[in-house]
Amino acid sequence: MPLNLLRFALTKDHPEPRMFRQPDRLKSSYDAVIIGGGGHGLAAAYYLARDYGMTDVAVLERSYLGGGNTGRNTTIIRSNYLTPEGVKFYDESVRLWQDLSQDFDLNLFYSTRGHFTLAHTDATLRTMRWRAETNKHIGVNSELVSPDEIQEACPQMDLTCNGHAPILGALYHAPGSIARHDAVAWGYGRGADQRGVEIHQQTEVLGIQVKSDRVTGVETSRGTIETPRVLCAVAGFTPRLLQMVGIRSPLYVHPLQALVSEPMKPWLNPIIVSGNLHVYVSQTARGELVMGASLDPYELHSTRSTLDFTEELAAHMLDLFPFLSHAKIVRQWAGMADMTPDFAPMMGRTPIAGFYLDAGWGTWGFKATPVCGKTMAYTVANDRAHELIQDFSIDRFTRYELIGEKGAASVAH
Ligand code: FAD
Ligand code: PYC
């Protein structure tokens, strides 16, 4: 171990500044409280402070920053969705991602790789063509490509999939990217903190006070806070928080698992997704293969991992990449995905005045972190839904105006 590192470890005074302050007490009131210190809550805090000068804001996190789905996701960023509402929304997010490292003065390892969604059946190919046309119409770079073009971009792939699921083509989305998830939480957290927002970790919201259908405060594990505005950005915990304010929603929570291989020399540039095989993979700058699959097929509020998942995923990966049969898996984990029936988010104002919701992010919300922060900050500051999220309001379910995004939300469900 280098001497400097040892010296650093043994000294009590660590001179490096922390990413953000750790205030030792909560105030008795704030202009706004954000529940959830994941990417979405922190991004909203950052834009509230930066764009609207709202700095008397507390972010309350029951555990540690980014420890929820933000730090558990596989970081695929893209805008090749199916519905015009979705494509426009995610496209704005992809635009915002471009400048984030510079805005934060922090390397987010944003890396544009190109994204292939493989089609192994005629039906899938038809959906890919539909997506490509919707995307192009809105100005998003997506196109249908042939097996030869896939093979050229990824010579290691067995396009017959061991003979039992031959690849017929793919949707190719050149802007598809990956990034470093923890750094996104740290960047937004530090930026919010530098502008005066207070970030309180190990602070769980246990109750939300409502009088005459208006939010008045929150009860936390460290005391009660008065506030006229609460933004709830808690992903897989959303049903519990909605219960506190008596709002019903059609959300259901399923585990979503992922795993990572040992580091290897770079061989895979693009991101590869196969809905038919229920598998996807990308290679990080460190050389690890990050892999995932579909949701676990039952509702469960838990982050446990299973051997079933690993075995199935490995089998499908070997269909695509037989040469990986000796690769080692080094870590496995799960997050809790807050799923909506139409695979689109639930965002904006709610029937409780001053209570705002950023939820329904299921398996697809990391890429939306910047645009959610921007649009939710606008919504909280103006008490009016930003135009990009108007179609995602929670009352669409009572109006039966769903946004059918299932064919494009992530892998297959
Ligand atoms: P989180 O990051 O989960 O933050 C919510 C926070 O709220 C948590 O830190 C939690 O501790 C806190 N909290 C909960 N209850 C309370 C309370 N009562 N009081 C205080 N704090 C509370 N999306 C993509 O776009 N691309 C992908 O490739 C992708 N891959 C995924 C892979 C996996 C395995 C998983 C699980 C998800 C994936 N997602 C992906 C989805 C994405 O991770 C989420 O949609 C996104 O991270 C949600 O961010 P968030 O800030 O809303 O939630
Ligand atoms: O949203 O692209 C996505 C995704 C892939 C895997 C999980 N989510």
Side-chain angles (χ1 to χ4, degrees):
M1 182 185 291
L3 194 61
N4 270 349
L5 190 57
L6 193 61
R7 202 179 292 135
F8 180 79
L10 295 178
T11 175
K12 277 194 180 147
D13 306 318
H14 289 173
E16 276 78 14
R18 288 187 171 273
M19 288 294 279
F20 33 80
R21 296 164 296 158
Q22 311 232 25
D24 49 15
R25 62 176 198 88
L26 287 168
K27 294 197 300 181
S28 59
S29 74
Y30 293 91
D31 285 347
V33 163
I34 297 176
I35 312 174
H40 287 218
L42 294 165
Y46 174 82
Y47 293 115
L48 266 176
R50 195 195 76 174
D51 298 351
Y52 301 98
M54 275 185 70
T55 56
D56 186 26
V57 174
V59 177
L60 308 181
E61 167 53 52
R62 67 193 282 276
S63 177
Y64 60 95
L65 286 205
N69 288 351
T70 297
R72 295 164 188 269
N73 87 93
T74 47
T75 84
I76 296 175
I77 297 166
R78 60 189 173 87
S79 58
N80 58 352
Y81 274 71
L82 184 64
T83 68
E85 298 90 332
V87 177
K88 283 181 203 152
F89 183 72
Y90 294 104
D91 189 37
E92 176 61 9
S93 209
V94 169
R95 205 185 59 73
L96 290 168
W97 276 104
Q98 311 304 316
D99 305 323
L100 272 192
S101 290
Q102 211 168 346
D103 284 2
F104 295 161
D105 192 19
L106 183 68
N107 191 350
L108 302 183
F109 287 82
Y110 188 87
S111 174
T112 300
R113 301 295 189 84
H115 180 283
F116 286 91
T117 315
L118 306 176
H120 306 249
T121 66
D122 284 336
T124 318
L125 210 54
R126 199 169 55 235
T127 314
M128 298 308 153
R129 190 168 293 124
W130 177 1
R131 275 168 73 179
E133 292 312 315
T134 310
N135 289 186
K136 279 189 252 180
H137 186 67
I138 296 171
V140 166
N141 184 353
S142 289
E143 58 183 326
L144 220 56
V145 293
S146 68
D148 286 349
E149 289 167 285
I150 303 168
Q151 194 78 85
E152 195 182 329
C154 189
Q156 299 83 352
M157 192 188 296
D158 174 3
L159 264 77
T160 74
C161 292
N162 205 14
H164 51 78
I167 294 165
L168 307 180
L171 178 69
Y172 179 61
H173 177 56
S177 303
I178 52 175
R180 181 162 179 209
H181 46 24
D182 307 308
V184 175
W186 301 334
Y188 275 122
R190 183 171 71 175
D193 171 84
Q194 283 168 345
R195 289 166 175 81
V197 169
E198 287 184 10
I199 295 171
H200 293 272
Q201 301 181 80
Q202 304 295 328
T203 307
E204 182 166 6
V205 171
L206 303 170
I208 300 174
Q209 297 174 335
V210 177
K211 283 198 190 106
S212 311
D213 289 336
R214 168 168 286 285
V215 156
T216 57
V218 294
E219 290 148 22
T220 82
S221 51
R222 293 170 58 212
T224 300
I225 301 170
E226 282 177 25
T227 184
R229 295 177 198 87
V230 171
L231 166 58
C232 178
V234 298
F237 294 82
T238 306
R240 300 181 206 184
L241 274 288
L242 289 184
Q243 233 172 18
M244 295 177 193
V245 289
I247 293 179
R248 287 182 61 211
S249 86
L251 277 181
Y252 50 105
V253 175
H254 282 233
L256 182 68
Q257 304 193 48
L259 51 76
V260 79
S261 76
E262 61 188 328
M264 39 189 96
K265 282 186 183 163
W267 64 269
L268 179 67
N269 190 53
I271 304 156
I272 306 289
V273 180
S274 165
N276 294 107
L277 296 183
H278 299 261
V279 70
Y280 64 94
V281 59
S282 68
Q283 188 170 25
T284 67
R286 271 203 301 223
E288 299 165 332
L289 298 181
V290 178
M291 293 169 269
S294 310
L295 291 170
D296 286 2
Y298 34 77
E299 174 140 31
L300 186 68
H301 295 231
S302 160
T303 54
R304 93 284 173 261
S305 305
T306 65
L307 185 59
D308 276 1
F309 163 79
T310 316
E311 286 179 341
E312 259 187 52
L313 183 135
H316 291 313
M317 274 299 289
L318 293 182
D319 282 342
L320 284 171
F321 302 109
F323 77 97
L324 288 176
S325 59
H326 293 290
K328 292 188 179 59
I329 291 165
V330 294
R331 284 195 305 286
Q332 181 182 356
W333 65 91
M336 295 195 304
D338 46 329
M339 305 296 294
T340 53
D342 58 0
F343 292 65
M346 272 179 358
M347 299 178 75
R349 299 173 73 221
T350 69
I352 307 290
F355 184 75
Y356 306 93
L357 192 60
D358 173 38
W361 284 110
T363 68
W364 51 85
F366 176 69
K367 68 180 74 60
T369 305
V371 73
C372 286
K374 269 238 154 192
T375 54
M376 288 311 301
Y378 175 97
T379 304
V380 172
N382 297 294
D383 193 31
R384 191 172 62 243
H386 187 283
E387 60 169 12
L388 272 177
I389 66 169
Q390 275 164 7
D391 295 314
F392 302 138
S393 70
I394 184 171
D395 66 1
R396 75 175 182 277
F397 297 105
T398 49
R399 290 184 276 108
Y400 302 105
E401 284 176 11
L402 274 59
I403 300 171
E405 202 67 91
K406 185 164 183 174
S410 55
V411 187
H413 303 287

